[in-house]
Amino acid sequence: MIRRFALIASAMALTFNSGLIQAKVSEAEAAKLGGELTPVGAVKAGNADGSIPAWTGGITKPPAGYSKGDHHPDPFADDKVLFTITAKNYQEYAEFLSDGQKELFKAYPDTYKMPIYQSRRSASLPQFVYDETAKNAVMAELIQGGNGVKNAAIGIPFPIPQNGVETIWNHILRYRGESVKRYAGQAAPTASGDYNVIGFEEELMQKYSAKDATREKLLEENVISKFKQSVTSPARLAGTALLVHETMDQIREPRQAWTYNTGQRRVRRAPNVAYDAPGTGSDGLRTSDDFDMFNGAPDRYNWELKGKQEMYVAYNNYHLHSDKVSYEDILKPGHINPDLTRFEKHRVWVVEATLKPEFRHIYQKRVFFIDEDSWQIQVADMYDNRNELYRVGISHGINYYEVPTQWSTLDVYHDLNSRRYLALGLDNEEKMYEFDADLKDREFTPEAMRRAGRR
């Protein structure tokens, strides 16, 4: 159970169901953005004991010595570990941990730990995103029972959320650049620590976030983003590809997906790339809708906004992201190398998703802990159909300050039953993300996918 709600009490515990559509916030409420609230809706002030500082703009420029294409030098490299949470003392900090985090200490009592550092509210976004967020606050609306959004573009749609489904849409639609190409991999170590890295090349067109996006155009075209993923290694899988068109109104038009199989040399529709279908190359350790901690249609769950709490979350993980670190350094039996991680205390929104009786999913309940400064899901606790903890997802993020945007550098999904984990986003030995990739709509079609596969 969540025992601590800082700042926003149980009065904010609103349940979303198909009959509840919240009104847009008033001009007076929206005027708090940039005042007592940050431009994206976080509380600007620090907490009572000073362990969470005030937000003063986040990182506004790259540190000295950074060049485009670098693996992002650590702007906080001189920070020292304040203390370390281990299996021996985690109960002293229980109010700042999720149930899933606590379970990791129980599962790996001799090796799992959380090094706690000074909290740095580094999250920042471009000014035009802040400007559009202010407009969204008084314009954006849920549609189709919460399975779509209208009158929103570019910025956070609901910076002052009124219910759980608005909060999860903030995560889905958060700004992560416009046209991004990234190179990364994933690995699913065995219990003994053996692993193979599957390499990916991914391209992402964020139609919602484009500078020229308009509310009218987004509603008409009904596309949030276009995503293409190609396997680059190992050789036996290279060339396998996935194409996804994510929609804004998911009842009017559900997600469209296609796969290309190198053996068959055919492009096929892939309606099963959604919900609890196994994730690509994941060895069954994550679902399709676990990608990015949560993605896709929210229609199978009832969403309850529980409030806020202070929590230790993985933040400013530049060391884990460094090209001075190898995959061998990171991937260890049971969990990633904790000495490479950084945890800080931040305020998070808490959203509980409970499966609707008429639907099926391997997760009966999911609890999401969402960073107030970036709307990035930091931790996801997943429960099985016996209502027992099943998996724990942890997002290790940094500020990609050349954009700027706060985004994960590595997502780790822990399966508590098999005592295995999936590390998704390994980029230490790859080229760095391109946030100004020249991507075109014509490259995100089944025909283009077929042509690329035949070359």
Side-chain angles (χ1 to χ4, degrees), residues 391-424:
R391 291 176 177 162
V392 185
I394 298 178
S395 174
H396 299 260
I398 65 171
N399 185 317
Y400 293 86
Y401 33 65
E402 73 273 32
V403 183
T405 183
Q406 191 85 11
W407 198 6
S408 173
T409 181
L410 185 67
D411 290 334
V412 183
Y413 304 87
H414 297 269
D415 188 301
L416 297 171
N417 293 334
S418 68
R419 292 293 194 265
R420 294 183 63 199
Y421 69 96
L422 177 74
L424 174 60

Short mmCIF file of all heavy atoms in Angstrom, two decimals, residues 391-424:
data_model
loop_
_atom_site.label_atom_id
_atom_site.label_comp_id
_atom_site.label_asym_id
_atom_site.label_seq_id
_atom_site.Cartn_x
_atom_site.Cartn_y
_atom_site.Cartn_z
N ARG A 391 6.00 -8.20 -11.72
CA ARG A 391 7.14 -7.54 -12.33
C ARG A 391 7.30 -6.12 -11.80
O ARG A 391 6.35 -5.52 -11.31
CB ARG A 391 6.98 -7.50 -13.86
CG ARG A 391 7.08 -8.87 -14.52
CD ARG A 391 6.82 -8.81 -16.00
NE ARG A 391 7.00 -10.13 -16.61
CZ ARG A 391 6.52 -10.48 -17.79
NH1 ARG A 391 5.83 -9.60 -18.51
NH2 ARG A 391 6.73 -11.69 -18.27
N VAL A 392 8.52 -5.62 -11.94
CA VAL A 392 8.84 -4.26 -11.53
C VAL A 392 9.65 -3.62 -12.65
O VAL A 392 10.69 -4.15 -13.05
CB VAL A 392 9.67 -4.22 -10.22
CG1 VAL A 392 9.86 -2.78 -9.76
CG2 VAL A 392 9.01 -5.06 -9.13
N GLY A 393 9.17 -2.50 -13.16
CA GLY A 393 9.88 -1.77 -14.19
C GLY A 393 10.52 -0.52 -13.61
O GLY A 393 9.88 0.21 -12.86
N ILE A 394 11.78 -0.26 -13.95
CA ILE A 394 12.50 0.91 -13.45
C ILE A 394 13.13 1.63 -14.64
O ILE A 394 13.86 1.03 -15.43
CB ILE A 394 13.57 0.54 -12.42
CG1 ILE A 394 12.92 -0.11 -11.20
CG2 ILE A 394 14.39 1.76 -12.02
CD1 ILE A 394 13.91 -0.56 -10.14
N SER A 395 12.83 2.91 -14.75
CA SER A 395 13.35 3.73 -15.83
C SER A 395 14.51 4.57 -15.31
O SER A 395 14.35 5.33 -14.35
CB SER A 395 12.24 4.64 -16.38
OG SER A 395 12.76 5.53 -17.33
N HIS A 396 15.66 4.45 -15.95
CA HIS A 396 16.86 5.20 -15.58
C HIS A 396 17.04 6.32 -16.59
O HIS A 396 17.42 6.07 -17.74
CB HIS A 396 18.08 4.28 -15.58
CG HIS A 396 17.99 3.15 -14.60
ND1 HIS A 396 18.61 3.17 -13.37
CD2 HIS A 396 17.34 1.96 -14.67
CE1 HIS A 396 18.36 2.04 -12.73
NE2 HIS A 396 17.59 1.29 -13.51
N GLY A 397 16.76 7.55 -16.18
CA GLY A 397 16.72 8.65 -17.13
C GLY A 397 17.85 9.65 -17.00
O GLY A 397 18.58 9.68 -16.01
N ILE A 398 17.99 10.45 -18.06
CA ILE A 398 18.89 11.60 -18.06
C ILE A 398 18.20 12.74 -18.80
O ILE A 398 17.19 12.55 -19.47
CB ILE A 398 20.25 11.29 -18.75
CG1 ILE A 398 20.04 11.01 -20.25
CG2 ILE A 398 20.98 10.15 -18.07
CD1 ILE A 398 21.34 10.93 -21.05
N ASN A 399 18.78 13.93 -18.68
CA ASN A 399 18.35 15.04 -19.52
C ASN A 399 19.25 15.04 -20.76
O ASN A 399 20.46 15.22 -20.66
CB ASN A 399 18.49 16.37 -18.76
CG ASN A 399 17.94 17.55 -19.56
OD1 ASN A 399 18.18 17.67 -20.76
ND2 ASN A 399 17.24 18.44 -18.89
N TYR A 400 18.63 14.81 -21.91
CA TYR A 400 19.35 14.95 -23.19
C TYR A 400 19.37 16.45 -23.50
O TYR A 400 18.49 16.98 -24.16
CB TYR A 400 18.64 14.15 -24.28
CG TYR A 400 18.71 12.66 -24.05
CD1 TYR A 400 17.77 12.01 -23.24
CD2 TYR A 400 19.73 11.90 -24.61
CE1 TYR A 400 17.84 10.63 -23.02
CE2 TYR A 400 19.80 10.52 -24.40
CZ TYR A 400 18.86 9.89 -23.60
OH TYR A 400 18.93 8.54 -23.38
N TYR A 401 20.38 17.10 -22.98
CA TYR A 401 20.36 18.56 -22.88
C TYR A 401 20.56 19.29 -24.19
O TYR A 401 20.36 20.50 -24.26
CB TYR A 401 21.38 19.05 -21.84
CG TYR A 401 22.64 18.25 -21.71
CD1 TYR A 401 23.56 18.14 -22.74
CD2 TYR A 401 22.91 17.56 -20.52
CE1 TYR A 401 24.73 17.39 -22.60
CE2 TYR A 401 24.07 16.80 -20.37
CZ TYR A 401 24.98 16.73 -21.41
OH TYR A 401 26.12 15.99 -21.27
N GLU A 402 20.90 18.59 -25.27
CA GLU A 402 20.97 19.27 -26.54
C GLU A 402 19.58 19.52 -27.12
O GLU A 402 19.43 20.29 -28.07
CB GLU A 402 21.82 18.47 -27.55
CG GLU A 402 21.17 17.21 -28.10
CD GLU A 402 21.38 15.98 -27.24
OE1 GLU A 402 21.46 16.11 -26.00
OE2 GLU A 402 21.46 14.87 -27.80
N VAL A 403 18.54 18.89 -26.56
CA VAL A 403 17.18 19.06 -27.08
C VAL A 403 16.47 20.28 -26.49
O VAL A 403 16.07 21.15 -27.30
CB VAL A 403 16.38 17.76 -26.89
CG1 VAL A 403 14.99 17.90 -27.51
CG2 VAL A 403 17.10 16.56 -27.51
N PRO A 404 16.25 20.42 -25.18
CA PRO A 404 16.45 19.44 -24.11
C PRO A 404 15.18 18.62 -23.87
O PRO A 404 14.07 19.06 -24.13
CB PRO A 404 16.74 20.33 -22.90
CG PRO A 404 15.89 21.55 -23.14
CD PRO A 404 15.85 21.74 -24.63
N THR A 405 15.39 17.41 -23.31
CA THR A 405 14.27 16.59 -22.88
C THR A 405 14.75 15.57 -21.87
O THR A 405 15.89 15.09 -21.96
CB THR A 405 13.62 15.86 -24.08
OG1 THR A 405 12.48 15.11 -23.62
CG2 THR A 405 14.58 14.90 -24.74
N GLN A 406 13.91 15.25 -20.91
CA GLN A 406 14.18 14.19 -19.93
C GLN A 406 13.63 12.90 -20.49
O GLN A 406 12.44 12.81 -20.81
CB GLN A 406 13.52 14.53 -18.59
CG GLN A 406 13.94 13.66 -17.44
CD GLN A 406 15.22 14.14 -16.77
OE1 GLN A 406 15.68 15.23 -17.04
NE2 GLN A 406 15.77 13.34 -15.89
N TRP A 407 14.48 11.87 -20.60
CA TRP A 407 14.04 10.61 -21.21
C TRP A 407 14.89 9.50 -20.64
O TRP A 407 16.00 9.72 -20.17
CB TRP A 407 14.19 10.71 -22.73
CG TRP A 407 13.41 9.70 -23.53
CD1 TRP A 407 12.52 8.79 -23.07
CD2 TRP A 407 13.49 9.51 -24.94
NE1 TRP A 407 12.01 8.04 -24.11
CE2 TRP A 407 12.59 8.47 -25.27
CE3 TRP A 407 14.23 10.11 -25.97
CZ2 TRP A 407 12.41 8.02 -26.58
CZ3 TRP A 407 14.05 9.66 -27.27
CH2 TRP A 407 13.14 8.63 -27.57
N SER A 408 14.38 8.30 -20.74
CA SER A 408 15.11 7.15 -20.22
C SER A 408 16.34 6.84 -21.07
O SER A 408 16.30 6.96 -22.31
CB SER A 408 14.19 5.93 -20.19
OG SER A 408 14.89 4.77 -19.85
N THR A 409 17.41 6.43 -20.43
CA THR A 409 18.56 5.87 -21.15
C THR A 409 18.56 4.35 -21.05
O THR A 409 19.13 3.68 -21.91
CB THR A 409 19.89 6.44 -20.61
OG1 THR A 409 20.97 5.88 -21.35
CG2 THR A 409 20.10 6.12 -19.15
N LEU A 410 17.92 3.80 -20.02
CA LEU A 410 17.82 2.34 -19.88
C LEU A 410 16.59 2.00 -19.04
O LEU A 410 16.42 2.51 -17.95
CB LEU A 410 19.07 1.78 -19.19
CG LEU A 410 19.16 0.25 -19.10
CD1 LEU A 410 19.32 -0.37 -20.48
CD2 LEU A 410 20.32 -0.18 -18.20
N ASP A 411 15.74 1.15 -19.60
CA ASP A 411 14.58 0.63 -18.86
C ASP A 411 14.88 -0.81 -18.47
O ASP A 411 15.33 -1.62 -19.30
CB ASP A 411 13.32 0.67 -19.72
CG ASP A 411 12.82 2.08 -19.97
OD1 ASP A 411 13.11 2.96 -19.14
OD2 ASP A 411 12.15 2.30 -21.00
N VAL A 412 14.62 -1.14 -17.21
CA VAL A 412 14.90 -2.49 -16.70
C VAL A 412 13.60 -3.08 -16.16
O VAL A 412 12.93 -2.47 -15.31
CB VAL A 412 15.98 -2.47 -15.61
CG1 VAL A 412 16.29 -3.89 -15.15
CG2 VAL A 412 17.25 -1.79 -16.11
N TYR A 413 13.25 -4.26 -16.67
CA TYR A 413 12.02 -4.94 -16.27
C TYR A 413 12.42 -6.20 -15.49
O TYR A 413 13.02 -7.13 -16.05
CB TYR A 413 11.20 -5.32 -17.51
CG TYR A 413 10.87 -4.15 -18.40
CD1 TYR A 413 11.75 -3.75 -19.39
CD2 TYR A 413 9.68 -3.44 -18.24
CE1 TYR A 413 11.46 -2.67 -20.21
CE2 TYR A 413 9.38 -2.36 -19.05
CZ TYR A 413 10.28 -1.98 -20.04
OH TYR A 413 9.98 -0.91 -20.85
N HIS A 414 12.07 -6.24 -14.22
CA HIS A 414 12.41 -7.35 -13.35
C HIS A 414 11.22 -8.30 -13.25
O HIS A 414 10.12 -7.88 -12.88
CB HIS A 414 12.76 -6.86 -11.94
CG HIS A 414 13.97 -5.98 -11.89
ND1 HIS A 414 15.23 -6.49 -11.69
CD2 HIS A 414 14.10 -4.63 -12.01
CE1 HIS A 414 16.10 -5.49 -11.68
NE2 HIS A 414 15.45 -4.35 -11.87
N ASP A 415 11.43 -9.57 -13.55
CA ASP A 415 10.41 -10.59 -13.37
C ASP A 415 10.70 -11.29 -12.04
O ASP A 415 11.71 -11.99 -11.90
CB ASP A 415 10.45 -11.59 -14.53
CG ASP A 415 9.30 -12.57 -14.51
OD1 ASP A 415 9.17 -13.30 -13.50
OD2 ASP A 415 8.52 -12.60 -15.48
N LEU A 416 9.81 -11.10 -11.08
CA LEU A 416 10.07 -11.60 -9.74
C LEU A 416 9.89 -13.11 -9.63
O LEU A 416 10.43 -13.73 -8.71
CB LEU A 416 9.14 -10.88 -8.75
CG LEU A 416 9.36 -9.38 -8.63
CD1 LEU A 416 8.26 -8.73 -7.81
CD2 LEU A 416 10.73 -9.06 -8.03
N ASN A 417 9.15 -13.71 -10.56
CA ASN A 417 8.94 -15.15 -10.51
C ASN A 417 10.13 -15.91 -11.06
O ASN A 417 10.61 -16.88 -10.46
CB ASN A 417 7.67 -15.53 -11.30
CG ASN A 417 6.41 -15.00 -10.65
OD1 ASN A 417 6.38 -14.78 -9.44
ND2 ASN A 417 5.37 -14.78 -11.44
N SER A 418 10.63 -15.48 -12.20
CA SER A 418 11.76 -16.19 -12.82
C SER A 418 13.11 -15.72 -12.31
O SER A 418 14.14 -16.33 -12.60
CB SER A 418 11.71 -16.00 -14.34
OG SER A 418 11.97 -14.64 -14.68
N ARG A 419 13.11 -14.61 -11.54
CA ARG A 419 14.36 -14.00 -11.05
C ARG A 419 15.27 -13.61 -12.23
O ARG A 419 16.49 -13.74 -12.17
CB ARG A 419 15.10 -14.94 -10.09
CG ARG A 419 14.39 -15.17 -8.76
CD ARG A 419 14.36 -13.88 -7.95
NE ARG A 419 14.00 -14.11 -6.57
CZ ARG A 419 12.75 -14.00 -6.08
NH1 ARG A 419 11.77 -13.68 -6.89
NH2 ARG A 419 12.52 -14.22 -4.79
N ARG A 420 14.64 -13.13 -13.29
CA ARG A 420 15.37 -12.64 -14.44
C ARG A 420 14.94 -11.20 -14.72
O ARG A 420 13.97 -10.71 -14.16
CB ARG A 420 15.12 -13.51 -15.67
CG ARG A 420 15.66 -14.92 -15.55
CD ARG A 420 15.43 -15.68 -16.84
NE ARG A 420 16.16 -15.06 -17.96
CZ ARG A 420 15.86 -15.28 -19.25
NH1 ARG A 420 14.86 -16.09 -19.57
NH2 ARG A 420 16.55 -14.70 -20.20
N TYR A 421 15.68 -10.55 -15.61
CA TYR A 421 15.32 -9.18 -15.97
C TYR A 421 15.66 -8.92 -17.43
O TYR A 421 16.46 -9.64 -18.04
CB TYR A 421 16.03 -8.16 -15.08
CG TYR A 421 17.53 -8.06 -15.28
CD1 TYR A 421 18.09 -7.09 -16.11
CD2 TYR A 421 18.41 -8.93 -14.62
CE1 TYR A 421 19.47 -6.99 -16.28
CE2 TYR A 421 19.79 -8.84 -14.78
CZ TYR A 421 20.31 -7.87 -15.61
OH TYR A 421 21.68 -7.77 -15.78
N LEU A 422 15.03 -7.91 -17.97
CA LEU A 422 15.28 -7.44 -19.33
C LEU A 422 15.81 -6.01 -19.24
O LEU A 422 15.18 -5.16 -18.61
CB LEU A 422 14.00 -7.46 -20.15
CG LEU A 422 14.11 -6.93 -21.58
CD1 LEU A 422 14.84 -7.94 -22.47
CD2 LEU A 422 12.72 -6.62 -22.16
N ALA A 423 16.96 -5.77 -19.83
CA ALA A 423 17.53 -4.42 -19.91
C ALA A 423 17.32 -3.91 -21.33
O ALA A 423 17.89 -4.47 -22.28
CB ALA A 423 19.01 -4.44 -19.56
N LEU A 424 16.52 -2.86 -21.48
CA LEU A 424 16.13 -2.35 -22.79
C LEU A 424 16.62 -0.92 -22.95
O LEU A 424 16.31 -0.05 -22.14
CB LEU A 424 14.60 -2.40 -22.93
CG LEU A 424 13.98 -1.78 -24.17
CD1 LEU A 424 14.50 -2.45 -25.43
CD2 LEU A 424 12.46 -1.87 -24.10
#
